């Protein structure tokens, strides 16, 4: 045959200079087939399943089964779960199990979605990962060990920490700033060991691989074309169909492949090259794709000796095993993240931090409601389940919202970067899940069997989705119209926007929705208030009433101090505030009646009315009045807020801890952006590119002050013009009048904003300007888990947008004496553009002529109004350090209020005895208390055996296993006292749920016993980076000496525990042996009694808890 005509060219390719100790080695190429399947971007989940997603799994499973050498990785679980539950045949399910057993199909990441990393909350990241892992382990007994975050828009330092806690061995990312990636490529630093948490450091480090310039897509090797969506939905970006591989063109494919391999090999430090093979919506015709790949890869290997290259189908497991075996020494990266992300100079991806603000708010409130519903249901089931509802039905209600909240964490979900119809899908799923959980909560809390939707055979009604949250682009209706039908199971719900803090409210079943809590019905309302936090909360709950004369009494019939004031949003309505103190995971009950309808005809004390004062409309102008001269003050025992009557703007704040007055001014401004790509780069759902500095968005301000005994509210209305009839912006600031001892409530200034509607191609910000000498240094949070220090960077182009960062929950600026903290209800963008300034990107209204906008309606053009909520803390760093984590949680997990009709029987009903409160030390947070419903043995071998015996029977939900997760809120060295390790006795903390009989410590998502979890160790050269001061022992805590013998009902099988961990009928227990033991029943006292665990700074510890059924 002679020499191939392409061989001289490849002699030049082989001679390409390669550096490193392996330069003479054969390059080993690991081809990893995959399909990137967005769970909602341009197409809805339903459209994607119908057109391509189901075909991916159907054809991939078939093709893998035909050829043993082929491989495939699956990432997002949502599509796979839909395919598995609704479409897969018995034969296909058997094939999947066989492929998994032999490592030919591998699940990576394994979460419900591939989540965003910039604007997601750590709780929601854990939820979606746990949802996917629970399904995979229960169904297949597999546990993902490698991540695939190939399309998230930047990389958070929290995400690798979570993956390490879940038992992962390596982490894959791709989208990092283009300038940084170029520098890392040049320095061969595309692989490193990442210690994403400053406090956890090497304990939870993870090997990290950055995909090269090609990212996760393989261009030029697609032999199946594009998924056959209808013409109106065709993705204009992916239309290429490559020619099939033949003897006539295989040399051309070979040239391109080998050139790319040699180039990639020059960027990494080992001869092992990861080649992701696939892209968006690929492998829907896996037969065509694999057939051509087989020809090309086989041809390359035939000439591997001449080329110096071998190529093989691979999974991430086989690739990282090869890299690990190379035993190289790696650089260490500390807890810095890779945010913000720019893909090129004019593509600064910081706009999505604020895109679709209503969706971001809805997702966060849904998550908070789920958190409350989980613990409420767990407390209902333990120690003795009630008889009012079917637990199986209850679990399904929670599962609906778990799915919806997990789904929206997708990197084109909560980011607001999806098409309008996909946004509507996310909103619809969230509202349906919320309504389901609210039905459950109403059934539990109101305790009236006639209303229980859990009765067998009863059809549960539904409500229209508009009744929860607010449709994007619409002003929320605080109450449905009088006489509007509400459905059989849930009357109506809305999140109160006008009170501190606005709780979640759900009404009891009724035929019509009342327009208010009291006043429309003579008997009034019963309000059950639930605290979802594991500590005692003192706060103000806010309800809307129709009349100002109302009386509030508690469970014992004693009057409760309350305040009424004119509603700021609803004409002819009133805001009712009630001061309440609620123990952890407990309830308070209040009766709310019109005063003239007080019990026994007696005149009960009415809620006090506020005194209203006004400052006339003032035009915008520079402040000229010297500080402290004729200012208007509003104060409580912690702060005094001063207003400048010349401008009606905030002037300054005095804080008691430093006895210092800090100049503080707040105003709304707008950035103008370009919408015509012919005139230059444009802002879109992803990108933020302002034309210049922000301009004031108002010309005049009017002020109202509502002064009351419980709180005082400052209402600032900002008008776009002097003669405007309606305000465009508003700030409602509240100070609670409580003693300084109630520091969490006294020590915050609560603010609710009203923003919009905006003009097209405007981006609205709230800028807070102070006289703090912060030098433009900003601190913003990483997924509400840890803080990042953001130094100002002076870029030559787009310096404004490139100095924006995500603010998931908190941000602050400071000088040597004081710190100003902003806590947010939802994600926003945040920046410090000037000394002493912090600005928050609140809302965006955009329209452009980009392809995504024109063809897919990926736009932000709706004239919506948004109502962000912030809490401000001002004081010395020691005070704000102490209060910030708990205040952030208090904002996130506000009390849930369930409203029912107040009957005469309720007035005479004796006070019910409550379960004992759940209270944790101030450094700890109960991240989750739930009944997940998984049905698998804690012993891995036993679980695999059960799977072999039980397939294909679907396991029944296990309602006995309780998932418990505890989180330490503080970093090492952050606070003199609160940063210390905390030791808790779980038996004591959880005694309100009954007698604890067994506890197991698990990995983050519950699929590993920590006793068997052994992650890979990697050699590092700068081991001192991020080194810990305090180090936990490698073993988990020991659980011994519980007080009673296990009952017969507490068998190992009943508890889903391995037999060796449960022993019955003995009088004493020897000292625990090994790293994890669950011991039962000791007649001898122990000190301390029960399971004791020590949790170090920033640790997240996960347990399965089992209680004695009563």
């Amino acid at each position: 045959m002679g020499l191939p005509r392409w061989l001289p060219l490849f002699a030049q390719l082989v001679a390409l200079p390669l550096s490193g100790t392996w330069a003479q080695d054969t390059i080993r190429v690991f081809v990893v087939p995959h399909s990137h399947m967005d769970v909602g971007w341009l197409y809805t989940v339903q459209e994607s399943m119908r057109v391509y997603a189901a075909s991916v799994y159907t054809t991939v499973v078939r093709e893998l089964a035909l050829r043993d050498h082929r491989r495939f990785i699956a990432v997002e679980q949502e599509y796979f779960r839909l395919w598995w539950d609704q479409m897969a045949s018995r034969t296909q399910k058997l094939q999947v199990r066989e492929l998994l057993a032999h490592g030919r199909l591998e699940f990576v990441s394994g979460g419900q979605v591939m989540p965003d990393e910039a604007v997601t909350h750590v709780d929601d990241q854990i939820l979606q990962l746990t949802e996917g892992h629970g399904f995979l382990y229960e169904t297949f007994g597999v546990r993902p060990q490698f991540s695939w975050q190939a399309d998230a828009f930047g990389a958070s330092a929290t995400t690798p920490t979570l993956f390490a806690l879940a038992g992962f061995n390596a982490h894959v990312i791709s989208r990092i700033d283009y300038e940084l990636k170029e520098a890392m490529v040049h320095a061969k630093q595309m692989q490193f060991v990442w210690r994403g948490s400053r406090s956890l450091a090497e304990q939870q480090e993870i090997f990290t691989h950055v995909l090269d310039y090609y990212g996760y897509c393989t261009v030029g090797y697609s032999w199946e074309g594009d998924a056959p969506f209808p013409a109106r939905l065709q993705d204009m970006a992916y239309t290429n169909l490559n020619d099939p591989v033949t003897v006539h063109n295989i040399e051309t494919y070979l040239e391109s492949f080998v050139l790319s391999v040699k180039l990639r090999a020059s960027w990494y430090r080992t001869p092992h090259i990861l080649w992701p093979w696939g892209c968006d919506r690929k492998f829907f015709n896996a037969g065509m794709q694999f057939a051509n790949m087989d020809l090309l890869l086989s041809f390359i290997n035939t000439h591997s000796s001449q080329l110096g290259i071998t190529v093989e189908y691979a999974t991430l497991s086989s690739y990282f095993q090869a890299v690990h075996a190379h035993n190289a020494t790696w650089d260490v990266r500390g807890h810095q993240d890779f945010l913000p992300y720019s893909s090129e100079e004019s593509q600064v991806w910081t706009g999505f931090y604020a895109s679709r603000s209503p969706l971001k708010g809805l997702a966060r409130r849904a998550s908070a409601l789920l958190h409350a519903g989980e613990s409420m249901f767990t407390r209902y089931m333990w120690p003795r389940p009630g008889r009012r509802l079917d637990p199986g039905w209850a679990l399904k209600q929670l599962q609906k919202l778990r799915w919806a909240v997990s789904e929206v964490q997708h990197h084109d979900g909560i980011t607001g970067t999806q098409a309008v119809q996909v946004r509507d899908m996310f909103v619809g799923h969230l509202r349906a899940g919320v309504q389901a959980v609210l039905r459950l909560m109403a059934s539990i809390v109101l305790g009236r069997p006639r209303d229980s939707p859990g009765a067998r055979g009863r059809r549960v009604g539904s409500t229209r989705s508009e009744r929860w949250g607010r449709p994007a682009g619409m002003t929320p209706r605080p109450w449905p119209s009088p006489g509007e039908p509400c459905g059989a199971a849930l009357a109506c719900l809305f999140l109160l926007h006008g009170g501190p803090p606005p709780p979640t409210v759900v009404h009891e079943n009724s035929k019509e929705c009342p327009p208010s809590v009291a006043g429309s019905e003579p008997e009034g309302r019963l309000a059950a208030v639930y605290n979802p936090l594991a500590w005692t909360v003192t706060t103000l709950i806010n309800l809307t009433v129709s009349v100002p004369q109302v009386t509030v009494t508690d469970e014992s019939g004693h009057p409760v101090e309350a305040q009424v004031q004119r509603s700021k949003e609803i004409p002819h309505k009133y805001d009712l505030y009630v001061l309440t103190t609620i123990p952890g995971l407990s309830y308070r009950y209040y009766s709310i009646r019109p005063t003239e309808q007080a019990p026994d005809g007696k005149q009960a004390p009415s809620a006090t009315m506020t005194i209203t004062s006004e400052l006339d409309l003032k035009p915008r102008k520079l402040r000229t009045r010297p500080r402290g001269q004729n200012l208007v003050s509003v104060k409580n025992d912690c702060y005094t807020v001063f207003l400048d009557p010349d401008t009606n703007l905030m002037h300054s704040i005095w804080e008691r801890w430093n006895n210092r007055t800090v100049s503080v001014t707040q105003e709304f401004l707008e950035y103008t952006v370009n919408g015509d790509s012919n005139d230059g780069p444009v802002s879109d759902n992803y990108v933020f590119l302002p034309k210049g500095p922000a301009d004031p968005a108002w010309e005049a301000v009017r002020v109202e002050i509502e002064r009351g005994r419980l709180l005082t509210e400052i209402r600032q209305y900002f008008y776009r013009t002097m003669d405007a009839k309606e305000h465009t912006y508003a700030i409602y600031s509240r100070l609670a009048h409580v003693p300084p001892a109630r520091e969490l409530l006294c020590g915050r200034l609560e603010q609710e904003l009203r923003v919009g509607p905006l003009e097209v191609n405007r981006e609205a910000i709230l800028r807070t300007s102070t006289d703090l000498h912060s030098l433009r240094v900003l601190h913003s949070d990483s997924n509400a888990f840890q803080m990042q220090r953001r130094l100002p960077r002076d870029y030559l182009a787009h310096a404004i947008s490139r100095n924006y960062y995500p603010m998931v929950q908190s941000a602050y600026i400071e000088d040597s004496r004081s710190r100003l903290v902003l806590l947010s209800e939802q994600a926003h963008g945040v920046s410090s553009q000037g000394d002493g300034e912090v600005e928050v990107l609140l809302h965006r209204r955009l329209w452009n002529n980009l392809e995504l906008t024109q063809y897919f309606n990926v736009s932000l053009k709706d004239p919506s109004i948004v109502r962000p909520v912030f809490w401000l803390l001002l004081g010395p760093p020691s005070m704000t350090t102490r209060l910030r984590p708990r205040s952030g949680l208090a904002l996130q997990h506000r009390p849930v209020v369930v409203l029912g009709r107040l009957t005469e029987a309720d007035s005479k009903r004796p006070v019910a005895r409550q379960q004992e409160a759940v209270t944790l030390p101030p450094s700890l947070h109960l991240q989750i208390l739930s009944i997940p419903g998984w049905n698998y043995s804690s012993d891995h071998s036993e679980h695999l055996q059960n799977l072999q015996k039980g397939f294909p029977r679907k396991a029944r939900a296990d309602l006995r296993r309780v998932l418990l997760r505890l989180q330490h809120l503080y970093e090492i060295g952050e606070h003199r006292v609160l940063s210390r390790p905390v030791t808790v006795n779980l038996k004591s903390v959880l005694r309100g749920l009954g007698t604890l009989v067994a506890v197991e410590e698990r990995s983050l998502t519950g699929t590993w016993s920590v006793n068997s979890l052994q992650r890979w160790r990697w050699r590092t050269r700068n081991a001192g980076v991020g080194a810990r001061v305090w180090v936990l022992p490698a073993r988990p805590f020991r659980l011994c000496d519980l007080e009673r013998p296990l009952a017969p009902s507490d068998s190992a099988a009943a508890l889903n525990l391995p037999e060796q961990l449960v022993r019955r009928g003995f009088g004493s227990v020897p000292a625990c042996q090994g790293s994890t033991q669950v011991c039962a029943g000791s007649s001898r006292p122990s000190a301390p009694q029960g399971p004791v665990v020590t949790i170090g700074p920033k640790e997240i510890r996960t347990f399965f808890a089992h209680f004695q059924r009563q």
Side-chain angles (χ1 to χ4, degrees):
M1 294 178 58
L3 290 175
R5 57 184 174 85
W6 46 264
L7 194 57
L9 171 62
F10 277 91
Q12 301 175 38
L13 293 176
V14 171
L16 281 175
L18 298 175
S19 60
T21 57
W22 58 270
Q24 304 304 316
D25 296 344
T26 297
I27 300 173
R28 186 179 175 188
V29 182
F30 294 78
V31 170
V32 179
H34 75 100
S35 180
H36 185 72
M37 297 189 285
D38 286 302
V39 183
W41 173 34
L42 305 180
Y43 319 106
T44 66
V45 168
Q46 294 77 11
E47 289 172 332
S48 296
M49 281 295 294
R50 183 175 65 251
V51 173
Y52 84 93
S55 296
V56 169
Y57 291 113
T58 297
T59 62
V60 164
V61 168
R62 181 191 66 214
E63 294 303 316
L64 293 183
L66 289 175
R67 298 288 187 271
D68 290 349
H69 65 286
R70 293 171 176 170
R71 300 289 185 271
F72 193 83
I73 62 169
V75 188
E76 303 89 353
Q77 285 307 298
E78 176 149 335
Y79 287 126
F80 181 82
R81 291 176 71 173
L82 291 171
W83 176 79
W84 179 265
D85 289 337
Q86 301 175 10
M87 301 179 182
S89 66
R90 174 181 171 82
T91 298
Q92 289 168 331
K93 291 183 176 182
L94 287 170
Q95 288 174 327
V96 168
R97 294 181 185 276
E98 182 74 11
L99 294 171
L100 289 170
H102 291 87
R104 289 148 58 191
L105 173 65
E106 181 174 82
F107 290 110
V108 298
S109 291
Q112 189 77 351
V113 298
M114 184 186 297
D116 172 65
E117 299 188 31
V119 297
T120 47
H121 194 283
V122 61
D123 292 352
D124 300 327
Q125 282 211 38
I126 295 172
L127 171 70
Q128 71 83 26
L129 196 63
T130 302
E131 275 292 286
H133 284 195
F135 164 76
L136 288 176
Y137 191 62
E138 182 180 61
T139 308
F140 306 112
V142 300
R143 299 172 289 201
Q145 298 182 50
F146 306 95
S147 87
W148 185 258
Q149 284 294 105
D151 199 29
F153 315 141
S156 160
T158 298
T159 305
T161 302
L162 298 182
F163 284 142
L165 288 166
F168 283 28
N169 288 313
H171 178 40
V172 176
I173 62 176
S174 180
R175 292 186 183 270
I176 64 174
D177 187 88
Y178 74 102
E179 290 182 329
L180 179 58
K181 179 174 280 193
E182 184 176 341
M184 292 172 67
V185 163
H186 182 74
K188 288 185 175 290
Q189 293 178 339
M190 297 284 280
Q191 293 169 314
F192 51 88
V193 172
W194 199 352
R195 295 176 181 168
S197 166
R198 180 169 65 88
S199 296
L200 300 179
E202 70 272 17
Q203 183 187 3
Q204 301 300 342
E205 68 185 17
I206 192 168
F207 183 81
T208 302
H209 175 103
V210 183
L211 295 179
D212 54 45
Y213 296 117
Y214 295 94
Y216 63 83
C217 283
T218 298
V219 179
Y221 302 90
S222 175
W223 296 288
E224 58 184 341
D226 291 328
F229 284 96
R232 68 178 182 86
L233 294 177
Q234 279 295 336
D235 186 346
M236 303 301 293
Y238 302 106
T239 57
N240 292 328
L241 175 64
N242 299 110
D243 295 331
V245 176
T246 66
V247 294
H248 303 292
N249 64 15
I250 195 169
E251 295 170 1
T252 301
Y253 280 116
L254 183 64
E255 292 173 8
S256 173
F257 184 90
V258 176
L259 180 62
S260 180
V261 166
K262 294 288 185 176
L263 189 59
R264 294 179 190 223
S266 67
W267 299 335
Y268 293 92
R269 296 183 52 227
T270 77
H272 310 300
I273 302 303
L274 174 63
W275 184 306
W277 198 297
C279 200
D280 293 42
R281 303 176 294 280
K282 295 304 179 183
F283 282 89
F284 65 91
N285 185 354
M288 180 69 71
Q289 196 69 16
F290 275 119
N292 284 273
M293 293 174 69
D294 284 349
L295 292 174
L296 178 58
L297 271 58
S298 176
F299 188 72
I300 294 172
N301 284 331
T302 301
H303 301 281
S304 62
S305 59
Q306 298 105 311
L307 300 173
I309 292 173
T310 66
V311 59
E312 62 196 88
Y313 286 114
T315 61
L316 290 189
S317 177
S318 56
Y319 170 72
F320 283 115
Q321 284 174 1
V323 174
H324 187 256
H326 199 76
N327 203 27
T329 300
W330 303 98
D331 291 332
V332 171
R333 182 179 180 85
H335 68 285
Q336 303 87 3
D337 59 17
F338 289 96
L339 290 165
Y341 164 60
S342 298
S343 56
E344 56 186 82
E345 182 180 82
S346 61
Q347 296 294 303
V348 184
W349 295 47
T350 55
F352 76 89
Y353 300 160
S355 293
R356 301 210 196 286
S357 180
L359 176 62
K360 286 177 167 65
L362 177 65
R364 185 68 62 81
R365 292 190 295 271
S367 172
L369 185 73
L370 176 62
H371 178 270
E374 297 279 14
S375 63
M376 185 183 289
F377 176 59
T378 304
R379 299 220 72 183
Y380 172 84
M381 291 293 294
W382 294 100
R384 181 186 300 107
R387 299 179 180 180
R388 296 189 304 275
L389 70 118
D390 174 9
W393 171 86
L395 185 60
K396 289 180 181 178
Q397 310 315 300
L398 292 168
Q399 288 170 339
K400 289 178 184 178
L401 191 51
R402 292 174 191 169
W403 184 289
V405 174
S406 297
E407 177 186 72
V408 79
Q409 306 311 314
H410 173 61
H411 58 272
D412 276 306
I414 196 169
T415 52
T417 54
Q418 66 286 129
V420 170
Q421 67 270 18
V422 178
R423 175 209 62 191
D424 295 341
M425 177 202 73
F426 286 127
V427 170
H429 292 176
L430 285 167
R431 288 179 177 161
V434 163
Q435 289 174 354
V437 170
L438 288 171
R439 295 186 189 100
L440 169 62
M441 299 175 87
S443 299
I444 292 173
V445 174
L446 295 175
R448 296 173 183 176
R450 70 176 187 275
D451 297 321
S452 171
R456 287 178 173 82
R458 180 177 301 173
R459 180 178 181 271
V460 178
S462 61
T463 58
R464 295 201 317 227
S465 61
E466 289 82 6
R467 292 197 184 106
W468 195 80
R470 55 183 177 274
M474 294 182 62
T475 302
R477 294 179 299 149
W479 291 103
S481 302
E484 182 177 352
C486 288
L490 175 67
C492 49
L493 160 82
F494 74 102
L495 292 179
L496 291 168
H497 295 283
T504 303
V505 179
V506 56
H507 288 270
E508 185 187 7
N509 300 346
S510 63
K511 294 181 180 179
E512 294 184 351
C513 291
S516 61
V517 172
S520 62
E521 296 188 10
E523 68 271 22
R525 289 281 169 177
L526 174 68
V529 188
Y530 178 68
N531 172 22
L533 292 170
W535 65 69
T536 298
V537 167
T538 296
T539 190
L540 288 158
I541 61 170
N542 169 217
L543 303 171
T544 300
V545 296
S546 295
V547 295
Q549 295 81 25
V550 295
T551 297
V552 183
T553 55
D554 62 15
E555 306 93 334
S556 302
H558 299 140
V560 176
E561 188 174 11
Q563 174 177 312
V564 173
Q565 62 191 44
R566 293 181 302 106
S567 173
K568 57 187 169 296
E569 293 284 348
I570 315 170
H572 313 300
K573 300 296 179 184
Y574 300 88
D575 295 331
L576 169 67
Y577 295 93
V578 179
L579 182 65
T580 182
T581 297
I582 317 172
L585 272 58
S586 299
Y587 304 88
R588 293 296 305 273
Y589 293 88
Y590 298 101
S591 299
I592 306 169
R593 302 177 178 86
T595 300
E596 63 271 20
Q597 298 295 332
D600 303 325
K602 298 179 181 179
Q603 185 68 28
S606 295
T608 59
M609 282 290 296
T610 56
I611 298 174
T612 304
S613 60
E614 296 187 15
L615 301 179
D616 293 336
L617 190 72
K618 297 294 173 59
R620 178 169 57 87
K621 60 182 179 180
L622 294 176
R623 287 187 297 174
T624 57
R625 186 186 301 273
R627 173 177 294 181
Q629 186 174 348
N630 298 325
L631 299 178
V632 177
S633 65
V634 172
K635 63 183 178 180
N636 67 359
D637 287 347
C638 295
Y639 295 117
T640 299
V641 176
F642 296 100
L643 301 176
D644 186 341
D646 283 349
T647 62
N648 284 349
L649 297 179
M650 186 185 293
H651 178 278
S652 54
I653 301 176
W654 171 86
E655 49 91 359
R656 63 178 293 272
W657 296 270
N658 274 332
N659 191 22
R660 180 187 183 188
T661 299
V662 177
S663 174
V664 180
T665 301
Q666 293 183 306
E667 61 176 331
F668 294 98
L669 299 96
E670 292 177 353
Y671 286 107
T672 302
V673 298
N674 176 39
D676 187 350
S677 59
N678 297 314
D679 294 336
V682 303
S683 277
D684 61 15
N685 294 50
Y686 303 88
V687 172
F688 173 43
L689 292 177
K691 290 183 176 180
D695 297 315
W698 54 278
E699 287 296 332
V701 184
R702 181 174 63 86
V703 172
E704 296 175 353
I705 302 175
E706 300 283 344
R707 298 181 186 268
R709 293 178 59 184
L710 288 183
L711 66 100
T712 296
E713 181 173 76
I714 305 168
R715 302 174 177 179
Q716 294 172 281
Y717 301 97
F718 293 75
Y719 295 84
R720 197 174 285 280
T721 62
M722 282 293 296
D723 56 354
K725 301 298 183 182
E726 299 291 335
H727 57 277
T728 304
Y729 297 94
I731 304 176
Y732 308 119
S733 304
R734 290 177 287 268
L735 284 176
H737 300 305
V738 294
R742 292 176 173 175
E743 199 171 35
L744 279 179
L745 181 56
C746 179
R748 67 189 186 227
L749 174 65
E750 300 180 356
Q751 293 192 315
E752 179 193 349
L753 313 183
R754 181 193 186 275
V755 181
L758 304 181
E759 297 177 356
V760 176
N761 289 332
R762 298 290 190 274
E763 314 216 16
I765 66 169
L766 175 71
R767 178 175 292 167
T768 303
S769 303
T770 75
D771 59 359
L772 299 179
H773 298 295
S774 64
L775 305 177
R776 295 177 58 204
V777 176
L778 174 73
H779 295 76
S780 65
D781 69 311
S782 173
N783 309 104
F785 176 70
Q786 57 189 347
M787 300 301 292
Q788 295 277 341
R789 187 167 184 257
R790 313 294 193 181
L791 298 177
R793 300 184 183 278
D794 297 322
Y795 296 99
L796 295 178
H798 309 301
I800 293 175
S801 53
R802 294 189 75 176
N803 277 287
Y804 256 86
Y805 298 91
M807 172 187 178
V808 176
Q809 187 179 75
S810 62
Y812 66 82
I813 58 173
E814 64 182 353
D815 61 14
S816 59
R817 293 184 58 194
S818 298
R819 177 183 293 173
L820 175 67
V821 179
L822 273 65
L823 298 171
S824 175
E825 181 191 35
Q826 64 179 69
H828 299 281
V830 67
S831 182
S832 180
Q833 298 288 333
D835 186 25
E837 292 181 356
V838 58
E839 64 183 50
V840 181
L841 184 59
L842 302 169
H843 195 25
R844 318 179 74 208
R845 188 180 182 190
L846 308 175
W847 181 252
N848 56 60
N849 56 2
L850 295 178
E851 194 172 80
L852 283 178
T853 302
Q854 300 298 316
Y855 286 98
F856 299 103
N857 199 12
V858 181
S859 65
L860 300 170
K861 64 178 180 180
D862 57 280
S864 57
I865 296 173
V866 300
R867 290 173 169 80
V869 175
F870 295 94
W871 289 358
L872 273 62
L873 314 180
L874 178 64
S878 59
M879 165 268 190
T880 56
T881 296
R882 182 175 69 252
L883 297 187
R884 181 186 58 81
R886 288 167 63 86
S887 296
L889 288 169
L891 173 58
Q892 178 185 358
H893 297 295
R894 289 162 285 181
V896 176
V897 181
V898 180
L899 294 176
R901 283 193 176 89
L902 188 63
T903 65
E904 185 176 352
D906 292 318
S907 302
K908 300 178 180 179
R909 181 180 300 175
V911 178
R913 182 177 179 272
Q914 287 208 43
Q915 294 170 283
E916 187 171 350
V918 176
T919 305
L920 288 172
S923 297
L924 298 186
H925 168 48
L926 183 61
Q927 196 272 339
I928 192 67
L929 180 71
S930 75
I931 298 176
W934 305 318
N935 195 325
Y936 54 76
S937 170
S938 299
D939 182 270
H940 183 61
S941 298
E942 185 177 298
H943 175 50
L944 295 181
Q945 293 172 4
N946 292 339
L947 284 173
Q948 293 175 354
K949 296 175 185 177
F951 176 75
R953 178 180 60 81
K954 186 174 179 61
R956 295 181 60 185
D958 178 6
L959 298 173
R960 300 181 60 119
R961 175 187 284 132
V962 174
L963 175 66
L964 168 70
R965 191 177 289 123
L966 302 177
Q967 176 185 348
H968 198 297
L969 297 174
Y970 294 87
E971 298 276 5
I972 283 180
E974 186 178 14
H975 190 272
R976 183 175 57 85
V977 175
L978 297 174
S979 291
R980 296 173 181 172
V982 180
T983 299
V984 292
N985 185 318
L986 294 182
K987 181 182 178 184
S988 175
V989 168
L990 301 175
R991 61 176 173 257
L993 278 73
T995 303
L996 187 64
V997 297
V999 173
E1000 313 162 72
E1001 182 161 12
R1002 308 291 293 186
S1003 60
L1004 180 70
T1005 59
T1007 57
W1008 289 89
S1009 166
V1010 293
N1011 190 38
S1012 60
L1013 177 57
Q1014 295 183 345
R1015 298 196 307 118
W1016 296 351
R1017 302 295 298 174
W1018 301 80
R1019 292 177 57 186
T1020 57
R1021 61 165 48 95
N1022 46 344
V1025 175
R1028 292 176 52 122
V1029 177
W1030 179 85
V1031 181
L1032 267 183
R1035 60 175 177 78
F1037 80 98
R1038 300 181 298 170
L1039 168 62
C1040 293
D1041 300 327
L1042 296 186
E1043 291 182 329
R1044 65 162 194 89
L1046 292 176
S1049 60
D1050 296 326
S1051 64
L1055 293 175
N1056 258 329
L1057 290 168
E1059 286 284 355
Q1060 65 268 27
L1061 292 186
V1062 178
R1063 295 171 286 167
R1064 283 185 276 153
F1066 53 85
S1068 63
V1069 182
C1072 280
Q1073 303 295 321
S1075 59
T1076 302
Q1077 290 199 25
V1078 180
C1079 309
S1082 174
S1083 60
R1084 61 181 174 85
S1086 59
Q1089 291 280 340
V1092 177
V1093 56
T1094 298
I1095 302 178
K1098 299 309 293 185
E1099 282 199 317
I1100 302 175
R1101 305 280 288 277
T1102 303
F1103 307 91
F1104 288 163
H1106 304 268
F1107 298 90
Q1108 180 184 7
R1109 178 69 74 197
Q1110 295 181 8

